[in-house]
Amino acid sequence: MTRPARRAAVAALSVTTAFALTACAGASSSGGSTATKVNVSTTVPNDPVTLTLAYTNDPPTKALIDGFTKKHPNVTVKPQMTPFNDYIKSIKLAMSSDSAPDIAQYNPGAMNSLVPAGLILDLSPWSKAYGWTTKFPPASLEVLSSDKSAKQFGTGSLYAVPGGLSVLGVFYNKKIVKQAPKTLAEFEAAMQKAKDAGQTPLSNGALQVGGFHLWNALLNVTGDVNDYRSWVYGKPGATIVNPAASKATQTLTDWAKKGYISAGASATADADALASFAKGGSAFLITGNWAASTLETEMKDDVGFFLMPTPSGEPAKVASGASVAYAISSKSKNPNVAAAFLDYLSSPEAAKIEFDGGFMPVDTKADLGATGLRGDIAGVFAPVAQGNGIVPFPDFASPGMIDKLTPGIQGLISDKMTPDAFLKSLQESWDAHHGS
Amino acid sequence: MARELSPAVSPPRAAPARGGGRAAAGPPRRRGRARGWLYVLPALAVYLGFAIWPALNTLRLSFLTWDGILPPVWAGFSNYIKIFRDSALYEAILHSLALIVFFSVIPIAVGLLMTALLMGKVRRGMTFFRIIFFLPQVLPLVAVGITWRWLYGESGVVNQFLDLVGLGSITRAWLGDYGLALIALGLIGTWVMSGLCMMLFLAGAQKIDPSLYEAARLDGAGAFRQFRHVTVPGVRREITVAGVITTIAALASFDLVFVTTNGGPAGQTNVPGLLVYRLAFNEGDIGGASALAVVLTVIVVAVVSAVRYFTRDDQS
């Protein structure tokens, strides 16, 4: 009599069991083997090949795909775009699934679990075959190399190569500031002058990443880059509690006290700080070259760019930057073709595409013929990149670092945290990840 | 009107009973009960699959060390111990308890006040008022948050208004102020929740028998005493419902905080939901995030039970 009910109960049970099984499968099928032997080759076969490429909304990717497939008409690259916020969360699952994309945009800080899980290929054999160490700026490859546990960077194997770089610096409004300051003291004087004239010296989005970008830019010019590099790459025993970082932090605190950075910065998003600067609301804005196209459109010739000036006045040798990088899935059936795409990223032809897409080209010697704001950026970027001076942002140092950096800078700006306490809190997060 | 509606509603509701009557050949009660389960099953399956199962799974994950990809490792209670040792949790809980005042207590008071003002007086403009006050509920909280971030900005409307009325000396970036950010954030919640409370109370108050008001008036009760002795007891159940909904919103708040302050300045507006998100998606510590989510659930259930206990109907 109750047969239909029972049948329905069985159906319901099997539904839930199916949920249970799939959920378990999702949790346990990962971590597979890496030992697929690949015959490394630098030639692209003439048979039709289809690759899938997962990426997030960075502008040059699609143009780079078009450029590559024009050269190799038998290759089809299917792009799969995911908005940035969802990308980091979904790509790990996508890469561990059976239908993993052949090539994936890769962020070594946020996606480092792909390396120990063996889900992306060690690119060292291709790097040797193609000579990538001379084609890509060495500093840009350093960030993408790591040990097997992906805790220490700048060592071990190469897991991705960049398809466009970015650089952090200072934009200035030429209507307010006549000339780019040459020393840190001149920069401060220019901010004071703007303040005295009743203008906002510096737009800053300390609600998001703007605050620690400012700190990072100062840190790059206050001390030895090797200390910072060891720390951000997770070299055993490294610490951020050092004199250079103290000086940078103290400078930021002083600027806040002098009114160069307003308390309102803590509630200002990066996009709002950019918008305020673009409307002529402030003299300076510290952010990356990714803001250039917006600022060019809004401000025309009234905007310029310089790297954070050094105390001594010699040109800055170090700047922070990031890259759009691409890795190859260890499940790819055509790793050689995928590697050919990665190699294409270093070509002069790709350099033009990367630059037009708002990034700095991987081929730092490419002639870009840029003028105006883009010319300013290209002019200061090339020597730094060629001198191996591009370093990663500080949130790279450990997974929880960004949650120490953002509130920490807000604490400094609102004078509720001392520079020492700030640096100690960063080191705590570092120690928790790397072991003290 | 509500009273007239109820008889009309009853016959269809009785329909299943007729079905049960037809089956009276067999053992009637057992048979009817089995049929009842059959009707419930599809919903039950969805509920089990999408609410109970994920909840149990979260509980399971909270005992594992897992980054989302590598094989999980049994962690025992270590995730819980780690969480309870972190002072950030206690601050976050305190902040969300403070938010209850702004998300729950004030909106219920405002809702009752609006109900008192609108009851029995405004007839024509009622729909208009309802739409206006319910609007914050319809907007996605992310849009609400971004809009309020601008309103609260250094040169935002809030400060422009203060300037206009001669309070220019207290203007500031409200959400960036170390001491006032939590209050500023809470007031956004008040704005969002007041309309919901008012709607609930108005709906409840319309069920109240008009003769009760008439009797109260005859006994010489003024507007305040009518409100106190007729309206408030009449919407008691609605107050409980509003209390529960808004308290959960305060304790589990995430989206509004995420877009307005992201826990800032310097952690002054951290809430547990934000910490869960950071653990899971910034630090890749799924086990720790699940443990914190379980703790948050326990807190929500405890506080909501307390709310229900204190607002319970004395008769039942």
Side-chain angles (χ1 to χ4, degrees):
Chain A
M1 304 223 154
T2 54
R3 205 177 294 149
R6 203 173 292 156
R7 211 179 295 150
V10 170
L13 197 67
S14 49
V15 166
T16 42
T17 331
F19 274 118
L21 289 176
T22 46
C24 288
S28 58
S29 76
S30 47
S33 61
T34 32
T36 30
K37 199 77 190 129
V38 180
N39 291 318
V40 173
S41 157
T42 57
T43 49
V44 176
N46 290 320
D47 319 329
V49 175
T50 304
L51 298 176
T52 46
L53 186 151
Y55 74 109
T56 180
N57 42 358
D58 284 317
T61 308
K62 270 199 97 168
L64 288 169
I65 290 174
D66 291 344
F68 178 72
T69 48
K70 208 180 266 173
K71 275 181 88 174
H72 301 281
N74 61 313
V75 182
T76 315
V77 182
K78 280 192 196 157
Q80 298 173 341
M81 201 277 266
T82 313
F84 179 74
N85 276 329
D86 304 321
Y87 183 77
I88 299 277
K89 283 150 217 165
S90 62
I91 192 65
K92 295 189 208 169
L93 289 173
M95 293 300 274
S96 57
S97 76
D98 289 334
S99 55
D102 296 277
I103 305 171
Q105 197 172 322
Y106 178 70
N107 177 327
M111 291 150 65
N112 58 8
S113 46
L114 294 178
V115 173
L119 294 172
I120 55 176
L121 285 177
D122 174 359
L123 301 178
S124 308
W126 286 281
S127 173
K128 222 178 197 175
Y130 280 111
W132 282 345
T133 43
T134 52
K135 285 178 162 178
F136 293 91
S140 72
L141 296 184
E142 222 171 65
V143 189
L144 302 165
S145 310
S146 64
D147 61 352
K148 281 266 179 291
S149 67
K151 280 198 168 176
Q152 195 182 335
F153 296 88
T155 176
S157 311
L158 182 68
Y159 288 101
V161 297
L165 305 170
S166 53
V167 62
L168 181 65
V170 191
F171 290 92
Y172 65 104
N173 185 333
K174 289 181 175 172
K175 276 187 180 162
I176 302 174
V177 186
K178 291 282 165 276
Q179 206 177 6
K182 294 275 184 299
T183 67
L184 203 52
E186 276 182 38
F187 186 26
E188 286 189 15
M191 285 194 285
Q192 185 64 47
K193 205 176 149 201
K195 187 171 176 265
D196 293 343
Q199 284 140 336
T200 307
L202 190 71
S203 286
N204 195 271
L207 173 68
Q208 292 164 339
V209 297
F212 71 79
H213 278 174
L214 166 61
W215 175 75
N216 190 202
L218 283 167
L219 184 59
N220 288 336
V221 299
T222 51
D224 182 17
V225 67
N226 288 321
D227 287 347
Y228 177 70
R229 213 183 275 263
S230 308
W231 180 75
V232 84
Y233 286 156
K235 205 170 170 190
T239 176
I240 196 68
V241 187
N242 62 44
S246 286
K247 201 171 160 199
T249 316
Q250 191 58 52
T251 307
L252 187 142
T253 312
D254 293 344
W255 286 6
K257 280 191 186 137
K258 286 175 185 163
Y260 303 158
I261 314 165
S262 86
S266 298
T268 307
D270 288 311
D272 296 339
L274 176 66
S276 148
F277 175 77
K279 275 187 288 187
S282 62
F284 298 100
L285 170 75
I286 294 182
T287 188
N289 62 299
W290 53 81
S293 62
T294 310
L295 293 177
E296 260 173 350
T297 320
E298 293 272 327
M299 302 170 77
K300 308 282 182 285
D301 292 334
D302 292 333
V303 56
F305 183 87
F306 58 91
L307 293 181
M308 179 64 82
T310 57
S312 67
E314 58 180 299
K317 292 197 187 72
V318 183
S320 289
S323 60
V324 242
Y326 301 89
I328 304 177
S329 163
S330 53
K331 288 171 182 161
S332 173
K333 293 196 177 66
N334 300 291
N336 281 321
V337 184
F341 175 75
L342 301 196
D343 183 62
Y344 170 77
L345 301 175
S346 69
S347 67
E349 207 186 314
K352 189 84 181 85
I353 298 173
E354 289 155 12
F355 190 67
D356 290 344
F359 281 77
M360 298 315 294
V362 172
D363 178 2
T364 54
K365 294 185 184 76
D367 185 26
L368 303 164
T371 54
L373 178 62
R374 303 254 190 149
D376 276 10
I377 298 172
V380 293
F381 171 76
V384 175
Q386 282 161 15
N388 198 20
I390 298 291
V391 291
F393 294 112
D395 53 321
F396 197 91
S398 75
M401 192 59 75
I402 195 162
D403 298 324
K404 299 285 179 189
L405 284 163
T406 312
I409 298 288
Q410 292 170 352
L412 293 171
I413 292 174
S414 52
D415 200 20
K416 297 289 174 187
M417 196 176 212
T418 64
D420 283 345
F422 170 66
L423 295 177
K424 266 191 202 127
S425 75
L426 300 188
Q427 191 60 27
E428 261 169 34
S429 172
W430 194 96
D431 288 342
H433 183 65
H434 296 288
S436 48
Chain B
M1 204 169 101
R3 272 198 317 168
E4 285 161 16
L5 256 177
S6 49
V9 167
S10 331
R13 207 188 277 160
R18 221 180 341 155
R22 195 156 26 117
R29 290 205 55 175
R30 269 190 59 195
R31 189 155 187 184
R33 198 176 292 165
R35 259 175 175 269
W37 277 104
L38 196 60
Y39 286 116
V40 170
L41 265 173
L44 191 67
V46 170
Y47 187 67
L48 282 173
F50 292 101
I52 301 296
W53 168 251
L56 291 177
N57 213 17
T58 304
L59 189 64
R60 184 177 70 93
L61 288 173
S62 72
F63 294 106
L64 302 174
T65 301
W66 191 41
D67 67 350
I69 288 193
L70 288 174
V73 180
W74 180 255
F77 281 94
S78 65
N79 286 327
Y80 288 93
I81 294 169
K82 199 179 83 189
I83 283 164
F84 281 109
R85 279 203 186 135
D86 190 358
S87 61
L89 173 70
Y90 302 101
E91 281 170 27
I93 291 174
L94 278 181
H95 294 155
S96 57
L97 290 178
L99 286 183
I100 291 182
V101 176
F102 295 98
F103 279 58
S104 191
V105 179
I106 303 179
I108 288 177
V110 172
L112 282 174
L113 182 71
M114 293 303 292
T115 308
L117 292 177
L118 291 175
M119 262 309 282
K121 296 192 179 88
V122 194
R123 280 268 177 254
R124 195 164 287 172
M126 203 64 147
T127 321
F128 173 77
F129 276 111
R130 283 189 185 177
I131 291 171
I132 289 294
F133 285 99
F134 201 63
L135 208 55
Q137 282 293 320
V138 182
L139 298 169
L141 278 182
V142 172
V144 168
I146 291 174
T147 312
W148 274 93
R149 210 171 66 206
W150 292 334
L151 294 180
Y152 271 137
E154 266 169 328
S155 51
V157 174
V158 173
N159 283 336
Q160 285 174 21
F161 173 78
L162 289 173
D163 267 333
L164 201 71
V165 297
L167 287 169
S169 55
I170 64 159
T171 58
R172 66 197 70 209
W174 296 93
L175 290 169
D177 188 278
Y178 192 81
L180 298 171
L182 188 64
I183 297 173
L185 177 70
L187 288 174
I188 305 176
T190 306
W191 180 77
V192 174
M193 295 299 172
S194 295
L196 174 76
C197 292
M198 187 196 82
M199 284 290 286
L200 277 170
F201 300 157
L202 273 178
Q206 277 170 349
K207 285 186 320 208
I208 299 171
D209 196 333
S211 62
L212 285 175
Y213 286 101
E214 214 171 298
R217 255 198 308 276
L218 286 176
D219 284 345
F224 178 74
R225 295 194 64 179
Q226 282 180 42
F227 172 72
R228 165 111 174 61
H229 293 285
V230 181
T231 312
V232 171
V235 297
R236 188 161 198 131
R237 282 165 199 278
E238 281 75 13
I239 294 177
T240 310
V241 171
V244 169
I245 293 175
T246 53
T247 306
I248 293 175
L251 289 172
S253 55
F254 169 76
D255 31 16
L256 197 59
V257 186
F258 187 69
V259 295
T260 49
T261 62
N262 195 10
Q268 282 300 292
T269 56
N270 271 340
V271 288
L274 211 52
L275 302 184
V276 173
Y277 172 84
R278 285 179 187 162
L279 274 175
F281 296 114
N282 286 359
E283 301 197 29
D285 180 3
I286 309 285
S290 302
L292 186 51
V294 170
V295 172
L296 179 58
T297 309
V298 171
I299 294 171
V300 169
V301 170
V303 175
V304 165
S305 305
V307 169
R308 287 180 57 103
Y309 179 80
F310 286 116
T311 56
R312 72 190 185 283
D313 216 336
D314 285 321
Q315 270 92 34
S316 61

